[in-house]
Amino acid sequence: MGARRSHEELRAFARRMLQLLSAIAALLVVGGVALALAEDVDVWRGLLLSVDTVATVGSYAPPETTSGEIVRLVLVITGVGTLFYALVTVTEFFVAGHLGDLLAERRLQRMTDSLRDHVIICGYGRVGSQVVRDLEGAGITCVVIDEDPDVVAEAHDRGVSAFLGAASDDEVLRRAGIARAGGVVACVGSDAENVFITLSARELRGEGLLIIARAADEATESKLRRAGADRVVSPYKASGAEIARLARHPQISGALGIAPGFRLDEIDVPEGCPAVGRAIAEVQGQAFVVGLRRDGLFVPRPPEDTRVEAGDVLVAMGSDRDMDALERRLDLPS
């Protein structure tokens, strides 16, 4: 259960208990005055008789007058009924688990307050859950925010700290520790909501926070950047570009984007490649060969006079233009 719902239920319980206590106090005072008048005693004595009657203790003698007996009967009926209702209210609060939810929420908040440089994941869907798995696999602590109670419960079952609420809500972001976070990932299903999340996060932390946002629609990318996102990722665009890259360069076993306009590629050197027998310095051009895989062994930063052999895998880094030129020198299709 989220903090907002838990606190609302706690406030509702407190209101009910306050109303019950007020009703009991009023009943005791009115009953005390009535008994004082009926029994011709002082008000303090009447109040003691009233408390004794409502509490069903029986420490004092019953009233001696008919009017006193009537007042006593009314006090017994209304007083016992009110006390029983109060007992039911308290029991319901404990049996429904609200207290446990509040305690769990407090534990989660204390744990989150102790975090530093964690990453806040806004949205725990297919994209968000994968981001959490990868980050936690790298030893980075994540805190999730999601509006679906079932999703939050699922995150808790997986041992992930999660808050229920809208990630665009400043208070929810504060409770998730945005003041101490190292980054925010806005990856809910709605582009508009991701824009609001980005705006809220940037406003709360200024330029000292890394914000990565998801954009399903290409037209939203510019809006997210204007809202303050440092990086914008389109899952559909990225997967389409990767499929197209593999279709154009099937001999490239993997690629990693390092910055806009740059990339890090693994390039297989096939039989008959013009680069076979030539030094790396002659082949790489403006790109940089940062690694060489040969016969199952990886050589980081190979010497530039190393001769390229068929079956080698060159790990090269450079701009898109330099990498395309390298592929042309290797006589690879472009």
Side-chain angles (χ1 to χ4, degrees), residues 211-215 220-222 224-225 229-234:
I211 300 177
I212 302 173
R214 170 190 176 183
T220 310
E221 295 184 21
S222 60
L224 284 165
R225 289 193 176 91
D230 297 292
R231 297 294 299 272
V232 179
V233 178
S234 172

Side-chain angles (χ1 to χ4, degrees), residues 33-267:
V33 173
L35 284 173
L37 295 175
E39 295 295 303
D40 193 22
V41 295
D42 58 73
V43 176
W44 176 248
R45 178 72 177 181
L47 183 61
L48 293 177
L49 291 173
S50 176
V51 172
D52 182 74
T53 302
V54 171
T56 66
V57 175
S59 298
Y60 295 92
E64 299 177 355
T65 63
T66 303
S67 57
E69 289 287 351
I70 295 174
V71 172
R72 180 173 180 272
L73 179 63
V74 172
L75 284 175
V76 169
I77 295 175
T78 56
V80 172
T82 304
L83 291 175
F84 182 75
Y85 181 71
L87 178 62
V88 170
T89 300
V90 174
T91 303
E92 178 188 5
F93 181 78
F94 283 95
V95 171
H98 299 327
L99 182 61
D101 292 333
L102 287 171
L103 293 176
E105 191 67 33
R106 287 181 179 272
R107 286 195 298 270
L108 173 62
Q109 189 62 63
R110 285 197 300 269
M111 183 188 68
T112 304
D113 291 343
S114 67
L115 296 178
R116 295 293 185 277
D117 297 325
H118 58 289
V119 178
I120 300 174
I121 310 298
C122 304
Y124 195 65
R126 288 174 294 182
V127 174
S129 58
Q130 184 61 51
V131 173
V132 171
R133 282 194 293 269
D134 290 345
L135 288 177
E136 293 195 335
I140 299 174
T141 304
C142 296
V143 175
V144 168
I145 299 175
D146 201 285
E147 293 187 274
D148 189 337
D150 294 333
V151 170
V152 172
E154 179 184 351
H156 287 159
D157 291 340
R158 294 180 179 178
V160 179
S161 300
F163 288 91
L164 177 66
S168 56
D169 188 330
D170 290 356
E171 182 58 31
V172 176
L173 286 171
R174 289 191 185 97
R175 298 187 65 247
I178 192 171
R180 304 172 306 280
V184 171
V185 178
C187 56
V188 301
S190 167
D191 281 1
E193 186 67 14
N194 284 329
V195 171
F196 288 129
I197 293 170
T198 302
L199 283 169
S200 299
R202 184 59 71 201
E203 181 180 2
L204 290 172
R205 274 289 301 275
E207 297 300 323
L209 179 72
L210 173 66
I211 300 177
I212 302 173
R214 170 190 176 183
D217 189 349
E218 187 174 354
T220 310
E221 295 184 21
S222 60
K223 295 183 177 66
L224 284 165
R225 289 193 176 91
R226 290 199 300 270
D230 297 292
R231 297 294 299 272
V232 179
V233 178
S234 172
Y236 307 112
K237 184 178 178 180
S239 60
E242 178 66 7
I243 292 172
R245 185 193 64 78
L246 291 172
R248 291 192 308 119
H249 307 295
Q251 71 283 356
I252 301 177
S253 60
L256 173 66
I258 54 177
F262 291 84
R263 68 178 191 264
L264 177 68
D265 286 356
E266 284 188 357
I267 306 176

